[in-house]
C-alpha cells in the first residue's frame, strides 16, 4: 500500500513537472502573473489592462496591467466577480469592463454589470446594468460614451449596438449591425469602428465579413471580406490599414498565426508579418508604440482546449506604417 501511495505521488509530481516544463518550453508561461485566455484589453496612461478570463481550468477575477514602456506587469485589483469574455475600454481617466460569463463553458452573468476601474484607488465599482446579459461581445469608447457591439445573449447571436452615455448613465440602442455575430474583433480609428470576422449560427465558425460603423452618423457599411475567415482573433488600424491576425479555425481544429491587411484606400488585401506564436482569445493593445502593437495571453490550443493551454506571453507585432 505504501509503495502504491508513493508511486501515485511520484506520478502526480512527474505530471505536474512535465506539464510545467512543457508550458515553459512552448512559451505558454512567460509574462503575466496568471496565464489567461478569452480576454480583451484596453490602454490607459501607457498601461495595457486585462481583467478576468479563463485561467488554467478556472475562471479568473484578477486584473493585470502591462507597462508598455518598461515591459513590467503589476496587479490592478479584482473584478467584483470572476468572469471570462469580458469586453474592455477606457476613457482618459478610467478603465471599463462589461458583461461576460461566470462559469465554464458559457454560463452568462445574469447580473450583467458594467464596471469601472479607478487607477487612483485600484478598485472596481459597478456603475450600471447592461440592457441584458451579454458575452463574446466587444466594446469601445468614443466621445464620452461606451459602445457594446454584437455578442451573444442566452446562445442567441446579436447584431446589437448599444451606446452608454457615461455622464448621463443612460443606454440607447443604435443602428444594428448588418450581420449578427460573436467572437469577432474590433478596431477603432477616430469615429470609425471596424468589426471583423467572428462566428454565428447563420454563417458558421469562421466568418469573413467586415463591417464599418460610423460613430458620428450611426450607420454601417460593408467592406471586402477577409481572405480567411476566423474567430477569436485580433484587429488594429494604423496608417489607413486594417490589420487582422491570429484567431482560430474551429472547422480545421487549429490556432492561427497569419496576418491579413486591408488597405482602406484601395480596398485590397495583402499579407503581413505573422504572430510569433499562434493564439486565439488573446488581448490586443489599442495603442501602438514605435510601430509595434502588443498581444498578450490567449489559448495555444483551439476551442475548449484553451482551458489547459492558456498563456501568459506578451508578443509584439510590427505594424507597417510606410506610406
Amino acid at each position: 500500500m505504501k509503495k502504491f501511495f508513493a508511486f501515485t505521488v511520484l506520478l502526480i509530481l512527474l505530471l505536474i513537472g512535465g506539464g510545467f516544463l512543457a508550458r515553459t518550453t512552448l512559451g505558454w508561461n512567460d509574462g503575466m502573473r496568471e496565464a489567461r485566455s478569452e480576454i480583451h484589453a484596453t490602454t490607459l496612461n501607457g498601461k495595457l489592462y486585462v481583467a478576468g478570463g479563463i485561467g488554467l481550468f478556472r475562471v479568473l477575477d484578477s486584473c493585470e496591467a502591462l507597462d508598455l514602456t518598461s515591459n513590467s506587469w503589476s496587479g490592478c485589483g479584482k473584478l467584483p466577480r470572476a468572469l471570462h469574455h469580458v469586453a474592455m475600454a477606457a476613457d482618459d481617466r478610467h478603465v471599463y469592463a462589461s458583461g461576460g460569463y461566470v462559469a465554464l463553458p458559457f454560463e452568462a452573468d445574469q447580473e450583467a454589470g458594467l464596471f469601472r476601474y479607478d487607477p487612483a484607488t485600484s478598485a472596481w465599482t459597478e456603475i450600471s446594468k447592461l440592457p441584458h446579459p451579454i458575452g463574446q461581445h466587444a466594446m469601445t469608447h468614443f466621445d464620452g460614451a461606451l459602445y457594446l457591439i454584437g455578442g451573444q445573449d442566452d446562445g442567441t447571436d446579436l447584431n446589437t449596438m448599444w451606446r452608454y452615455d457615461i455622464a448621463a448613465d443612460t443606454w440607447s440602442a443604435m443602428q444594428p449591425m448588418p450581420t449578427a455575430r460573436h467572437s469577432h474583433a474590433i478596431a477603432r480609428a477616430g469615429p470609425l469602428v471596424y468589426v471583423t470576422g467572428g462566428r454565428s449560427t447563420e454563417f458558421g465558425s469562421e466568418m469573413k465579413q467586415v463591417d464599418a460603423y460610423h460613430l458620428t452618423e450611426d450607420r454601417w457599411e460593408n467592406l471586402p471580406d477577409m481572405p480567411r475567415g476566423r474567430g477569436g482573433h485580433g484587429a488594429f488600424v494604423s496608417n489607413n490599414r486594417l490589420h487582422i491576425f491570429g484567431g482560430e479555425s474551429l472547422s480545421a481544429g487549429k490556432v492561427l498565426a497569419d496576418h491579413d491587411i486591408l488597405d482602406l484606400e484601395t480596398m485590397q488585401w495583402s499579407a503581413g508579418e505573422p504572430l510569433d506564436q499562434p493564439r486565439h482569445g488573446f488581448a490586443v493593445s489599442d495603442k501602438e508604440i514605435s510601430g509595434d502593437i502588443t498581444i498578450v495571453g490567449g489559448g495555444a490550443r483551439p476551442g475548449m482546449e484553451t482551458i489547459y493551454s492558456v498563456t501568459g506571453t506578451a508578443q509584439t507585432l510590427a505594424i507597417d506604417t510606410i506610406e
Side-chain angles (χ1 to χ4, degrees):
M1 187 67 179
K2 288 182 179 179
K3 288 183 179 180
F4 176 77
F5 178 75
F7 175 77
T8 302
V9 170
L10 179 61
L11 181 61
I12 292 171
L13 290 174
L14 286 172
L15 287 172
I16 293 172
F20 179 80
L21 181 61
R23 291 176 61 79
T24 302
T25 302
L26 293 169
W28 292 2
N29 258 358
D30 341 332
M32 283 191 213
R33 297 176 177 187
E34 291 190 284
R36 64 189 77 208
S37 182
E38 313 310 334
I39 51 178
H40 291 264
T42 192
T43 309
L44 176 63
N45 296 330
K47 289 185 176 181
L48 180 149
Y49 288 84
V50 178
I54 293 177
L56 196 59
F57 297 103
R58 67 195 190 282
V59 182
L60 302 175
D61 61 1
S62 59
C63 172
E64 298 189 53
L66 173 64
D67 187 307
L68 294 171
T69 302
S70 66
N71 198 33
S72 59
W73 288 93
S74 59
C76 44
K78 288 186 176 182
L79 289 170
R81 49 189 168 271
L83 293 163
H84 62 94
H85 285 90
V86 180
M88 300 187 69
D91 56 20
D92 58 356
R93 292 181 56 201
H94 299 105
V95 172
Y96 299 87
S98 68
Y101 302 97
V102 295
L104 298 172
F106 297 102
E107 183 184 328
D109 177 21
Q110 296 301 318
E111 294 296 318
L114 173 65
F115 306 112
R116 180 167 64 198
Y117 175 76
D118 186 347
T121 61
S122 194
W124 290 90
T125 306
E126 184 173 314
I127 61 169
S128 185
K129 294 292 186 185
L130 308 185
H132 51 78
I134 184 171
Q136 300 183 91
H137 58 304
M139 181 169 68
T140 192
H141 173 270
F142 179 75
D143 195 22
L146 298 171
Y147 292 81
L148 274 64
I149 306 165
Q152 279 195 332
D153 178 11
D154 195 26
T156 299
D157 301 320
L158 301 174
N159 65 352
T160 51
M161 168 69 87
W162 288 103
R163 180 182 187 274
Y164 175 71
D165 186 308
I166 297 171
D169 186 24
T170 56
W171 292 92
S172 304
M174 309 304 286
Q175 187 69 25
M177 272 195 296
T179 307
R181 65 180 93 191
H182 67 276
S183 301
H184 48 290
I186 67 166
R188 184 176 68 80
L192 277 174
V193 179
Y194 299 91
V195 183
T196 68
R199 305 186 184 108
S200 73
T201 301
E202 182 178 2
F203 292 102
S205 62
E206 286 110 46
M207 292 177 62
K208 294 183 176 182
Q209 288 89 336
V210 179
D211 296 305
Y213 178 72
H214 296 254
L215 288 157
T216 55
E217 301 172 17
D218 189 27
R219 69 177 178 87
W220 291 89
E221 67 172 302
N222 298 113
L223 300 184
D225 285 355
M226 298 189 295
R228 176 178 194 157
R230 64 186 80 200
H233 56 291
F236 194 88
V237 177
S238 176
N239 197 38
N240 216 24
R241 292 175 174 86
L242 173 62
H243 299 257
I244 312 293
F245 40 86
E248 63 186 335
S249 168
L250 292 180
S251 62
K254 66 178 183 178
V255 182
L256 307 176
D258 54 316
H259 173 191
D260 295 318
I261 304 169
L262 176 65
D263 187 310
L264 295 169
E265 293 180 359
T266 65
M267 291 297 166
Q268 298 295 312
W269 287 96
S270 61
E273 175 190 347
L275 298 181
D276 292 338
Q277 299 162 321
R279 292 287 184 266
H280 74 100
F282 51 84
V284 183
S285 60
D286 45 15
K287 299 284 190 302
E288 61 181 283
I289 295 180
S290 302
D292 292 339
I293 59 169
T294 303
I295 296 156
V296 298
R301 298 288 302 163
M304 283 308 295
E305 292 180 62
T306 195
I307 63 174
Y308 67 80
S309 68
V310 292
T311 73
T313 57
Q315 303 182 50
T316 57
L317 180 66
I319 296 295
D320 182 8
T321 56
I322 299 172
E323 292 286 354

